[in-house]
Amino acid sequence: MRTDSPPTASPQGPRKASPQTIAIWTVVALVCAAGWSVLALSRGEEVSAVWMVAAALGSYAIAYRFYSKFIAYKVLKVDKTRATPAERLDNGIDFHPTDRRVLLGHHFAAIAGAGPLVGPVLAAQMGYLPGTIWIIVGVIFAGAVQDMVVLFFSTRRDGRSLGQMAREEIGPFGGAAALLAAFAIMIILLGVLALVIVNALAQSPWGTFSIAMTIPIALLMGFYLRVLRPGRVSEVSLIGVALLLLALVAGRWVAESSWADTFTLAPSTLVIWLVAYGFIASILPVWMLLAPRDYLSTFMKIGTIALLAIGVIVSMPTLKMDPVTDFATRGDGPVFAGSLFPFVFITIACGALSGFHSLISSGTTPKMIQKETQVRMIGYGSMLMESSVAVMALIAASIIDPGLYFAMNAPAGVIGDTVQNASQVVGSWGYQISPEDLAAAAKNVEEASLLSRTGGAPTLAIGVSEIFSEVTGGSLRAFWYHFAIMFEALFILTALDAGTRVGRFMLQDTLGNLYKPFKNVSWKPGLVITSGIVCGLWGYFLWVGVHEPLGGINQLFPIFGISNQLLAAVALAVCTTLLVKSGRLKWAWITGIPLVWDATVTLTASWQKVFSSDPRVGFFKQRSVYQDGIDRGELIAPAKSMDDMHTIVTNSTVDGVLTAALALLIVIVIADATRVCIRHVRRPALSTLSESPYVESKIIAPAGLIPTKEEKEEARDAVGAAPGG
């Protein structure tokens, strides 16, 4: 069956650049080059964070304008005349043509979880330069490419999930490994995201109220666009932003009022609410809650990051962290153990390359996209936006005093629980900070202590408050700190609701191989059953983790980064296979090179986490050390009892086995994908593609945020040709 589109003239055909365009891009390139030069060559002198912003924004602009355009129109050959699944299968539940602006907001909000906020903060232990290079170079050539290519191929396959595409295109053996690995990793990622939200919102009436209010606001926006004023995106955007700002301000009023107790929730209560919200958001029609809520939260996300960038440009803070620290080579850092290669790449994760994104790109988004030509803006563009978040997080961690950074991110078992002891230990690492300075830093943000506030989020909040208070005044430092904590919770929650829906799609695709009605992702009994299973799985791990500091999802937290990058290897393997099988062999390097790099880094990290003789790195070595301690009757930090010792032994065993099992599954996927590619090159006639047949599109919609002159004329012609037009 012929599935390719009929030949069409590319709307992006070759044009002669005007002198004005050449001048603009020359300036962008020079500013970008200057930023990179200062960051790379400075030794010993002070470096402004402005140069990091210049290097990042310049690189993003050049990559989007040239590299993403090349991939979209030269390699993928996106076709504006081809109907997408949203148009052909529109049912108002999961398949629904969604305005590109709303969908961009949904997609960005769904992919931007804890990773770009927390990972770069932790990676600052190695210095600001390695993280900056990987975040920017990685997103341009790996992360954004993966997201766009997966979105394109899923759109061509009725919005199939990543695991199902692997099964159909690679084969039942490698596909089964991909399905199993993807779903297991998805549950781990959802549990970790939920735990971060619980930790951020517990005992925080301001954050809980403001975030709760985004739900009715989103419902209003959904009905406004669907029923009251269809297509009026600008109107509903203004209404939504105004109500969101009101909710943010009102959150502080509530926190200072008699209502504070009502919105001060215990962690176990938050778990129940999160599971209930995840289930409801997963089964409601996508236009009603999920898409408008994600779109709404994007205003806050992008607005805050844009304000941070402006704050950096205005205040011009100095990068106080070393370009490359001694921990990068020694591998004995107090924040996380391991050398720069491979662990800085694993730690940064989502800011440069994330397997989780491939699940969104083959989950909700391909079922909502109006035109194939929009995959560039939504797939590649959203990932560049997320990378900018990671850059700002790295800046926030690098402009604060390094002594404070290490005092906040080192475990209590290492630095103790007093500012005097913490000052001494941090000083022994070569970073001086006095006990008085540590106490003052906590007082400035109205916290009792900042010692051992691990996880990255509090450090980011300190950096954010530092930047904003330079512009607005030091008296607002505490306000900006608590605002940043609440901002992070909202940031992560939007990934949780979309992720739960995607987990439901993955489970339906898998069960559909056994019982066909499940293949219809909008079949109501199926969506209720699978949503309940997905929420039950991550909810169980979250519940146990909240009640047992060393149990539940806490047990799986150490493999979060590795599992995410292993999933990226699956996505890149599927993309490379599809490029080869669809006649794009000469362009297979576009995803093939990132695949080789990601597999090398992640499998190396997996090997070290399983077999390293350093107990801080190797799971099985850690198990051996704690088991020996149990045999001697000795307590080893962070264990506070023999029960904790036994729990750590169990956790180390589980993490080691899971890491090895996931790595083995990914090796199977890559090996089977390689076999399929070689077979296709040798005997193309044996290959089959599961691509949906070509159907002509009747939707007229721009490819980017701002319609071109040709797109405006096309829209006018369509209106004029309509009956009564």
Side-chain angles (χ1 to χ4, degrees), residues 108-335:
F108 170 69
I111 66 173
L117 294 172
V118 174
V121 172
L122 303 181
Q125 169 183 264
M126 302 292 191
Y128 65 78
L129 190 56
T132 302
I133 294 173
W134 173 236
I135 289 170
I136 298 174
V137 175
V139 74
I140 289 171
F141 295 106
V145 173
Q146 171 206 259
D147 292 11
M148 176 170 66
V149 177
V150 169
L151 177 57
F152 171 78
F153 282 125
S154 180
T155 300
R156 283 278 174 104
R157 284 158 179 77
D158 291 344
R160 287 279 189 268
S161 68
L162 177 67
Q164 188 64 22
M165 284 197 294
R167 188 179 186 279
E168 293 173 353
E169 303 294 350
I170 296 177
F173 186 59
L179 279 167
L180 181 59
F183 187 71
I185 291 171
M186 185 65 165
I187 297 301
I188 294 172
L189 299 181
L190 289 173
V192 170
L193 291 174
L195 181 64
V196 176
I197 296 168
V198 169
N199 290 338
L201 293 185
Q203 313 302 323
S204 173
W206 180 9
T208 301
F209 175 83
S210 297
I211 289 176
M213 288 300 101
T214 63
I215 297 174
I217 295 172
L219 289 170
L220 171 64
M221 293 173 67
F223 280 99
Y224 193 95
L225 276 178
R226 177 84 172 186
V227 180
L228 300 178
R229 301 273 284 174
R232 304 287 183 170
V233 177
S234 299
E235 287 181 18
V236 81
S237 299
L238 291 174
I239 294 170
V241 170
L243 291 174
L244 176 62
L245 293 175
L246 178 60
L248 293 175
V249 174
R252 197 179 193 195
W253 297 341
V254 168
E256 297 171 350
S257 73
S258 58
W259 288 8
D261 290 342
T262 304
F263 291 94
T264 303
L265 303 181
S268 56
T269 306
L270 282 168
V271 171
I272 296 172
W273 280 110
L274 282 178
V275 171
Y277 170 73
F279 178 78
I280 293 170
S282 177
I283 63 175
L284 283 180
V286 71
W287 59 266
M288 188 181 296
L289 176 60
L290 188 70
R293 190 187 176 286
D294 289 352
Y295 177 61
L296 176 66
S297 71
T298 296
F299 283 105
M300 182 178 174
K301 293 181 176 183
I302 294 300
T304 301
I305 295 303
L307 288 175
L308 271 174
I310 294 171
V312 168
I313 294 171
V314 172
S315 62
M316 301 182 68
T318 300
L319 297 170
K320 296 178 182 176
M321 186 64 75
D322 297 328
V324 182
T325 68
D326 293 339
F327 297 124
T329 52
R330 296 206 310 258
D332 60 350
V335 179

Side-chain angles (χ1 to χ4, degrees), residues 163 166-167 171-182 510 665 668-669 672:
R167 188 179 186 279
F173 186 59
L179 279 167
L180 181 59
T510 303
L665 287 172
I668 291 172
V669 173
D672 212 18

Side-chain angles (χ1 to χ4, degrees), residues 195 544-555 644 647 651:
L195 181 64
V544 177
V546 164
H547 289 84
E548 298 179 21
L550 297 176
I553 197 60
N554 297 298
Q555 183 183 60
D644 287 351
T647 301
N651 289 357

Side-chain angles (χ1 to χ4, degrees), residues 461 464-466 468-469 472-473 476-485:
V464 169
S465 69
E466 187 82 18
F468 282 158
S469 63
T472 62
L476 292 176
R477 192 183 299 270
F479 170 84
W480 290 122
Y481 172 83
H482 291 283
F483 169 83
I485 293 291

Side-chain angles (χ1 to χ4, degrees), residues 579-589 677 680-681:
L579 285 173
V580 172
K581 289 178 66 177
S582 61
R584 301 172 173 92
L585 175 62
K586 67 178 179 179
W587 305 121
W589 59 268
C677 290
H680 176 82
V681 172

Side-chain angles (χ1 to χ4, degrees), residues 28 58 65 85 104 110 139 280 296 319 388 420 425 455 553 612 684 699 701:
V28 170
R65 170 60 179 81
L104 176 67
V139 74
I280 293 170
L296 176 66
L319 297 170
S388 70
Q420 290 78 12
V425 174
I553 197 60
S612 174
I699 292 178

